[in-house]
Amino acid sequence: MTAVPAVPVPVSIPELTAPSVWPASAVLAPGGDVAVGGVPLTEIAERYGTPVYVLDEEEVRSRARAWRRALPDADIVYAAKAFLCRAVVDWMEEEGLGLDVCSAGELELAACRGFPADRIVLHGNAKSPRDLRTALRFGVGRIVIDSDCEIARLAAQVPGPEAQQVMVRVLPGIEAGAHEKIRTGVEGQKFGLSIAAGDAEDAVARILGQPRLELTGLHCHLGSQIASPEPYAHTVRRVIAFMARIRDRYGITLPELDLGGGFAVSYLPGDPAPAPGAYGRRIHGELVRRCAEFDFPAPRLTVEPGRSITGPAGIALYRVLAVKRTGGQVCVAVDGGMSDNPRPALYGARYTVRMVGRSSSAPMRATTVVGRHCEAGDVLAESAELPEDVGPGDVLAVPASGAYQMSMASGYNMTGRPPVVAVASGRPRLLMRRETFDDHRARDVGL
């Protein structure tokens, strides 16, 4: 009788267990591989080529549900700019979330999937005529006024007879966020209208004078990668005080408050990233206290998580093309780079990198992982711990890659944007195909 070989059982390893930069489904698979959603990462690299982005569907859904549990009486609106495709639109609709869009393009994508228009919020510091026309045509639930010149322009386009519901984006004057380029709640930058300078109140007064606009509330957004609930609590204090002032001066009690997003995720092991419940408890508690202080009816709350839903669900896979060992330093070049992930070059984002697909007993050493593009700043990760014997052909996995990578990807050097593959229940599914030279050529219509 022939013995049946034992099937290797994937086991968890410390760096893949919570708290982790990897999806909850990530386990160590045979031969040094990592499986996510039941699918080995090297299988995806072989089948779809590299670079390739992997998105764990259940991780996305579970994070959406976590936000709904954290603030059960609030509207949870997914920030589409983090990453959007048809499947993500469907997942958000099925999980009961709204969508925050920033352009007619994002809005059209949502509409083509039949996403409920009344659950869509349109943002943008400089909305184009097409953006506004598209929003009005689809009947989006809220348009966020970001500058005083938008007020009359928007009002003139509302077809009627019903007024378009709008919010005013205010600057609470609170500094929060991991880098100055992603701090949007402070004075002196392009977003919003200042409470302190009186610009926000002027906008409120002007909107109240427009019969085709209905002011439903205030909106603010502090920045990105905010790793503490405290800035949100400070914002609640300032904005509720401002809403009370509006009530006292104009006789209107605004029923809605949108605190935006910016909730942090871990990119390196040990990075602080509070759970949605921690943000939710602090925000809700402060809202109750401040409303009681000002005898103000608690407004309907909205938050806009984006990165914290898709970021930890994504993994970028690259193949090593070249290794240079000079001056005691190791530089590993891969087949992607700043065209699919501009974040390190833009604001010094840091990532974890792991070799997958083979086991190595070589010592680990600090390695610089660079891209293939003609820029000295095309560096994906510095001081990444990789085996000394890493070489051409090896596959590298970069977790926490599900947000602000593919959505910010470019056509630099015409390398083509990578495909996106969803994994769920042991099966991969192509969501977005690889961009090809034929795609570039089709756009080039000049003679």
Side-chain angles (χ1 to χ4, degrees), residues 57-191:
E57 177 181 347
E58 181 53 36
E59 183 78 12
V60 173
R61 290 180 179 273
S62 67
R63 288 177 170 273
R65 294 175 200 138
W67 274 107
R68 294 197 67 192
R69 290 193 301 270
L71 289 163
D73 297 322
D75 292 323
I76 311 301
V77 176
Y78 172 67
K81 60 183 178 291
F83 174 67
L84 196 66
C85 66
R86 291 186 294 182
V88 171
V89 173
D90 293 347
W91 299 345
M92 295 304 109
E93 196 276 330
E94 291 163 5
E95 297 300 335
L97 273 64
L99 280 180
D100 147 24
V101 300
C102 296
S103 70
E106 291 176 348
L107 181 51
E108 293 273 8
L109 181 59
C112 82
R113 301 304 295 170
F115 194 91
D118 61 350
R119 284 160 50 188
I120 296 177
V121 179
L122 175 68
H123 287 275
N125 70 296
K127 302 176 192 70
S128 71
R130 179 183 169 224
D131 294 336
L132 294 178
R133 285 196 305 269
T134 305
L136 292 171
R137 175 161 54 92
F138 287 121
V140 301
R142 303 290 183 272
I143 296 177
V144 180
I145 299 292
D146 203 289
S147 63
D148 58 2
C149 62
E150 284 184 351
I151 298 170
R153 184 187 307 154
L154 175 59
Q157 296 185 54
V158 176
E162 295 183 358
Q164 170 63 49
Q165 294 185 324
V166 299
M167 308 183 85
V168 173
R169 179 164 178 171
V170 301
L171 283 175
I174 292 172
E175 184 171 318
H179 190 281
E180 63 179 9
K181 292 184 179 179
I182 51 175
R183 295 172 188 156
T184 57
V186 295
E187 303 286 342
Q189 41 78 39
K190 72 176 187 176
F191 293 105

Side-chain angles (χ1 to χ4, degrees), residues 22-388:
W22 296 81
S25 69
V27 293
L28 181 63
D33 206 353
V34 171
V36 174
V39 183
L41 293 180
T42 52
E43 178 183 313
I44 294 174
E46 291 297 329
R47 179 172 175 179
Y48 297 98
T50 55
V52 59
Y53 278 73
V54 183
L55 196 62
D56 185 335
E57 177 181 347
E58 181 53 36
E59 183 78 12
V60 173
R61 290 180 179 273
S62 67
R63 288 177 170 273
R65 294 175 200 138
W67 274 107
R68 294 197 67 192
R69 290 193 301 270
L71 289 163
D73 297 322
D75 292 323
I76 311 301
V77 176
Y78 172 67
K81 60 183 178 291
F83 174 67
L84 196 66
C85 66
R86 291 186 294 182
V88 171
V89 173
D90 293 347
W91 299 345
M92 295 304 109
E93 196 276 330
E94 291 163 5
E95 297 300 335
L97 273 64
L99 280 180
D100 147 24
V101 300
C102 296
S103 70
E106 291 176 348
L107 181 51
E108 293 273 8
L109 181 59
C112 82
R113 301 304 295 170
F115 194 91
D118 61 350
R119 284 160 50 188
I120 296 177
V121 179
L122 175 68
H123 287 275
N125 70 296
K127 302 176 192 70
S128 71
R130 179 183 169 224
D131 294 336
L132 294 178
R133 285 196 305 269
T134 305
L136 292 171
R137 175 161 54 92
F138 287 121
V140 301
R142 303 290 183 272
I143 296 177
V144 180
I145 299 292
D146 203 289
S147 63
D148 58 2
C149 62
E150 284 184 351
I151 298 170
R153 184 187 307 154
L154 175 59
Q157 296 185 54
V158 176
E162 295 183 358
Q164 170 63 49
Q165 294 185 324
V166 299
M167 308 183 85
V168 173
R169 179 164 178 171
V170 301
L171 283 175
I174 292 172
E175 184 171 318
H179 190 281
E180 63 179 9
K181 292 184 179 179
I182 51 175
R183 295 172 188 156
T184 57
V186 295
E187 303 286 342
Q189 41 78 39
K190 72 176 187 176
F191 293 105
L193 294 154
S194 171
I195 293 175
D199 301 329
E201 186 170 336
D202 290 345
V204 167
R206 290 184 62 186
I207 292 170
L208 294 177
Q210 292 283 355
R212 292 196 173 186
L213 300 181
E214 178 188 350
L215 182 62
T216 66
L218 301 181
H219 176 280
C220 56
H221 181 72
L222 301 181
S224 296
Q225 276 296 90
I226 300 170
S228 167
E230 290 309 307
Y232 298 96
H234 295 326
T235 299
V236 167
R237 287 199 288 272
R238 292 189 184 181
V239 177
I240 291 297
F242 181 48
M243 294 175 84
R245 189 162 82 233
I246 292 171
R247 175 197 59 190
D248 297 342
R249 292 186 180 179
Y250 301 96
I252 179 172
T253 300
L254 298 177
E256 299 179 10
L257 171 59
D258 189 332
L259 290 177
F263 311 103
V265 303
S266 297
Y267 286 97
L268 300 176
D271 281 351
Y279 290 108
R281 286 188 296 272
R282 188 71 179 93
I283 290 170
H284 179 262
E286 195 64 32
L287 185 64
V288 170
R289 280 188 290 274
R290 296 308 156 186
C291 287
E293 177 185 348
F294 289 97
D295 191 24
F296 193 88
R300 175 77 177 183
L301 187 66
T302 298
V303 294
E304 300 172 351
R307 181 197 317 264
S308 67
I309 290 177
T310 55
I315 298 152
L317 299 179
Y318 302 99
R319 199 170 293 275
V320 176
L321 298 180
V323 179
K324 293 182 180 178
R325 296 178 174 87
T326 57
Q329 297 190 0
V330 179
C331 182
V332 171
V334 298
D335 54 1
M338 66 191 304
S339 63
D340 67 86
N341 183 7
R343 295 183 66 250
L346 283 175
Y347 36 78
R350 301 176 303 158
Y351 286 88
T352 301
V353 183
R354 178 185 174 88
M355 186 175 76
V356 296
R358 71 175 178 90
S359 300
S360 173
S361 58
M364 305 291 281
R365 66 169 298 164
T367 305
T368 300
V369 180
V370 302
R372 60 170 296 179
H373 299 287
C374 299
E375 300 284 345
D378 183 19
V379 177
L380 287 174
E382 295 183 289
S383 301
E385 290 291 322
L386 292 173
E388 275 193 338

Side-chain angles (χ1 to χ4, degrees), residues 406 417-420 430-436 438-439:
M406 283 301 293
R417 285 172 290 186
V420 179
L430 186 66
L431 299 185
M432 301 181 76
R433 65 168 174 81
R434 187 178 303 280
E435 190 174 39
T436 67
D438 286 342
D439 295 319

